[in-house]
Amino acid sequence: MTDLVAAPVPLIRFSSEDLPEETRMEYLRDFYSRTRIGAEITPMIEDEKFRLDLAVQPLLGDTWVGRGLMTPHRATRTAVLASATNNDGVLLTRCTGRFIFSDRHTGEMPIETHDVLMANFNQTCEYVYLARDTVQTLAIDRTQLLNRLPGFEPEVSTRFDGRSPALSLLFAYAEAISRESVGSTMLGQVAAMHLADLAALALGVRGDHAEAARESGQKAARFALIKADLEQDFQNTELSAAAVAHRHGISVRYLHVLFEQSGQTFGDFVLERRLRFAMSRLTDPRCRHLRVADIAFDSGFADLTTFNRAFRRRFGATPSSVRP
């Protein structure tokens, strides 16, 4: 296992819109494509209309998750750039539109919207993006993947059906990670291990390795997706464990087990999220026109008495007393 260091793992963001128009393509071609992407970029539309927005969250080693918005272009990794790329990870890519991949082993390979492409990050190849699309990328550390997939040959670029449950869960978990603030290499290590587990399941691991991957990766991914779901639905006064379990295709008991293993109950998680939302509204000068009752109901509480009691217990003050 990779040693831990107490350094932050920042989210890397880049947008061509932030570059001066007169030097935008020069910067992309001569600096960013060589040092960051490791590929030559050739727009398939007028330079001034070309757009590339990227967000990459490094996790551990050669593992990272990324998302990008881009207009039509070719991304070519030459032999020189491939040898200079300091990344030996296995790259999984899916796109909201159709794109074409080619390398010297497989030739030209069309990738449909429901496909996931597996390729080596450091191989000579070309990606041709045909329309304005959003692409999601996931790099898995080669050593971590091979530890879970004995005999696997990631040197061969392969197209997978992205509608498979394992790949759907893998990319959903990667999406959940990209929305979180992974602020330390400890969190990065945990997330990287879970991603490797899920990737191994998606790419065909069998036997004892599969059992270990299911136990670790699937459980972590499912729990992350449930929490992301609750972040969107905690204000719903009709929210219940049964409804959430049904949405995620699991039993209510298993839902409670997932929360119990995290050291928090389902009810406590929802209550804490509602109370923090209420506190942010109550202390916001822009919300002074709202009544305490309005904020309580908007936070997901069904009655004011329950809200006041929970608020005092959590913050040691009444809702009215914290208002500016």
Side-chain angles (χ1 to χ4, degrees):
M1 183 176 290
T2 305
D3 292 336
L4 300 179
V5 291
V9 186
L11 178 69
I12 300 171
R13 293 187 181 276
F14 169 82
S15 175
S16 57
E17 297 293 289
D18 296 333
L19 301 174
E21 186 173 325
E22 61 274 14
T23 59
R24 181 177 301 163
M25 297 313 302
E26 179 183 359
Y27 179 87
L28 284 168
R29 291 190 176 106
D30 295 338
F31 174 72
Y32 194 83
S33 64
R34 297 176 183 275
T35 62
R36 295 290 187 181
I37 302 175
E40 297 282 2
I41 293 176
T42 306
M44 297 169 64
I45 58 175
E46 296 90 341
D47 285 357
E48 63 270 16
K49 295 181 180 179
F50 177 72
R51 183 171 180 180
L52 179 66
D53 298 338
L54 297 174
V56 177
Q57 175 63 73
L59 297 172
L60 185 72
D62 287 333
T63 298
W64 47 262
V65 296
R67 173 174 283 275
L69 170 68
M70 54 205 178
T71 49
H73 72 280
R74 295 176 182 270
T76 305
R77 184 167 295 116
T78 64
V80 172
L81 291 175
S83 63
T85 300
N86 187 27
N87 188 313
D88 194 32
V90 176
L91 186 66
L92 299 174
T93 305
R94 73 173 181 179
C95 193
T96 53
R98 184 175 183 267
F99 69 97
I100 299 172
F101 172 83
S102 60
D103 65 16
R104 63 187 180 89
H105 295 293
T106 59
E108 188 173 285
M109 185 191 309
I111 310 298
E112 305 298 336
T113 56
H114 58 264
D115 290 337
V116 171
L117 171 70
M118 183 197 74
N120 286 287
F121 193 87
N122 62 357
Q123 73 182 105
T124 58
C125 60
E126 183 176 71
Y127 293 76
V128 180
Y129 297 100
L130 304 170
R132 180 187 177 96
D133 288 317
T134 298
V135 63
Q136 189 177 4
T137 54
L138 170 59
I140 304 292
D141 187 275
R142 176 184 294 267
T143 300
Q144 296 298 329
L145 185 58
L146 293 181
N147 284 343
R148 294 161 172 80
L149 283 169
F152 187 62
E153 297 182 2
E155 283 71 25
V156 180
S157 301
T158 309
R159 178 178 52 210
F160 293 91
D161 187 345
R163 294 168 296 188
S164 71
L167 275 173
S168 296
L169 186 59
L170 170 64
F171 275 91
Y173 182 48
E175 180 72 13
I177 290 173
S178 68
R179 292 195 297 265
E180 296 290 334
S181 177
V182 181
S184 73
T185 51
M186 177 66 79
L187 290 176
Q189 174 163 335
V190 172
M193 296 301 123
H194 291 154
L195 286 169
D197 287 332
L198 288 170
L201 284 173
L203 300 178
V205 67
R206 299 288 186 270
D208 293 341
H209 292 281
E211 185 59 35
R214 277 191 290 269
E215 178 66 21
S216 176
Q218 281 192 328
K219 183 180 294 184
R222 196 170 297 282
F223 187 51
L225 296 178
I226 289 170
K227 290 193 294 182
D229 182 5
L230 292 176
E231 286 292 328
Q232 301 297 317
D233 202 33
F234 70 88
Q235 293 170 267
N236 178 8
T237 57
E238 302 298 322
L239 180 66
S240 69
V244 174
H246 178 74
R247 283 203 295 266
H248 290 268
I250 60 176
S251 69
V252 176
R253 174 57 189 155
Y254 185 58
L255 175 73
H256 288 305
V257 167
L258 289 175
F259 276 96
E260 289 166 5
Q261 291 179 346
S262 74
Q264 189 178 36
T265 68
F266 172 85
D268 287 343
F269 180 91
V270 174
L271 178 61
E272 176 66 18
R273 187 64 189 89
R274 288 171 171 172
L275 287 172
R276 285 193 288 112
F277 180 81
M279 174 62 87
S280 69
R281 287 293 185 90
L282 288 166
T283 56
D284 187 345
R286 295 170 298 180
C287 297
R288 282 181 295 191
H289 65 286
L290 296 175
R291 300 179 305 160
V292 170
D294 294 331
I295 292 175
F297 298 142
D298 192 37
S299 301
F301 289 92
D303 67 86
L304 189 58
T305 300
T306 300
F307 168 68
N308 286 329
R309 186 185 308 115
F311 192 93
R312 286 196 301 269
R313 185 165 55 244
R314 172 64 176 84
F315 298 110
T318 64
S320 299
S321 68
V322 301
R323 309 203 77 169

